[in-house]
Amino acid sequence: MADDNNNIPQSPARSSSASDSSTCSASDESAMRSASAQAARSNDAPASDAPFRLTDAPASASAAPASNPSVQPAEPSASSQTADPLPCPASPNLPAPRSAPAQPADPLAHPAPADPPAPACLSGDASCAPAERILEPEVRRHHHRKRKLLEFTHSSTRATMLMLTAAVAAFVIENTPVLPYFAEFWHTFEVGFTIGGFSPHLSLEHLINDFLMAIFFLMVGLEIKFEMTAGELVNPRKALLPILGAAGGAVLPALVYLAVNAGGGFEQGWGVPMANDIAFCLGILALLGSRVPPGLRSFLSTLTIADDIIAILVIAVFYTANLDVAWLAGGLGLFAGALALNRLHVHDLWPYVLVGLGMWACFLLSGVHATIAGVLLALAIPARSQVKLERAPGWFAARARTADERYDPGEPDIVQKEYLAEINEIGRVSRLSIPPITRLDYRLHVPVYFFILPLFAFSNASVVLVGMDPLAIVTSPVTIGVFFGLLLGKPLGIFLATWATVKSGLSDLPDGVRWGHVAGVSVLGGVGFTMAIFVTNLAFVDPATIAMAKAAILAASLVAGVAGFLVLRKVIA
């Protein structure tokens, strides 16, 4: 769900068109609303003619009320689409201060072409983000730096390159004498605490793979819930194509692996080539920019989400050892409690976080991989706003007018109690308007893509090849099964399943998507990396076998990524 500006794949924090969104600060929203209400008052415009569009709300909910068909939602300016990855409600031109002449028309409801241009930011760019236009001059520079940081951290290309750099660094370190105890460090260094006789400790490797990756799976769960609530999985006919494509891309690689390893004692690794890497796939697709058809981006996004669902089920069912039914029942009971919180309309995130921690501990002790707790928790978090969004524009306009009436330009800011109380109430309702899964996804985005996944790659992608026989590595059935499962089985499975679904009339190709596009996306499906390495650690215990499987994953992912990019670039050009 990456957009044309190479944004990270979106989840519930995004609209169904996959554009980035976030929570605007209360001061940003209220100040713009106050200024616009001032213009409306000076022109005797009614409140209903100047609605405020909540860009964090679903498109269908943010439309103007049906009782006033003349209202047109405010369209975001070009600068807010390109420069600000976390857009506030659009305001093409803010009105002048109270002492200035009144504007000829309400800039939100009826944009006037004769309005003067917006003031320039300190960066010298006249097309700055709307929030920067109303800031005091001395604080604009700080907010400009913050906006630039947000732009940097919402690039799927940068996140992909960071993970790739971490994997290459681990490979180089592991095979040079620079840090001879690199691999041992992750196994021996322990993290924990002691309270009386209670002393839980985890090695750094288990902390990353079991706890931090559970947070990654929480984001995967948010992606799944978004697709089920407002994405491609809502429409059964449209959802059928990527779902069956993902199923074909999971079954055929497993069959390829089993065909190579049947009777060899390594059959348990059949799940390794089944899963692809959503971040890498969408990151590579983002390199092609705006030339990618939106239907293709949506198809790949839904395909990877369906692929993740299959991988999660495989991990939960087939890679669970020594099942403890009592702890499993405890984890499922806590999951039921999280669902009950949802039904009771609890929208604060902290109760869900506390229940999620308990679920994680129960699943960890039950034998089921603890990361499953992250997915289940995501499915329990509410996806609806606490505010009736169809009524929000009028409410915000009325409160902004009230705040404007209580503002005294002759008094210091700190003593304007009534004005600040109105502003605080606008900010509170603005925060209530944003669904909990949207807020959680926004808060997890940077830690997951710029810390957890690179750390996982750095600690798990190391492959010790020094001292091993290269011929033995290349001819190992595990290496052959994983490599060809990802590089041949995965693309063929996706393409053939998609072709059969379309030819049978069960579904159609998305608008603007041709079979050449499907071929390129199918090749990208061979990029396993994160999920494949994750399953490798569950499937094997022998270090040499794990090293061979990881070497095959890295090699196949590299070839599939480059080949898929070249195929798509040729088709799109």
Side-chain angles (χ1 to χ4, degrees), residues 163-172 174-175 272 277 280 456-458 460-465 479 482-483 486-487 526-530 532-533 536 546-562:
M163 282 188 285
L164 183 60
T165 301
V168 172
F171 179 82
V172 172
E174 191 68 66
N175 290 277
V272 173
D277 190 293
F280 267 100
F456 174 82
F458 190 63
N460 286 273
S462 57
V463 180
V464 182
L465 299 180
T479 304
V482 171
F483 181 82
L486 284 171
L487 194 58
V527 179
F529 204 71
T530 304
I533 292 175
T536 297
I546 292 175
M548 292 178 183
K550 288 182 179 180
I553 293 168
L554 296 177
S557 298
L558 177 62
V559 175
V562 173

Side-chain angles (χ1 to χ4, degrees), residues 53 58-66 71 73 389-391 393:
R53 181 175 178 179
S60 61
S62 62
V71 173
L389 296 181
E390 69 275 8
R391 300 183 180 180

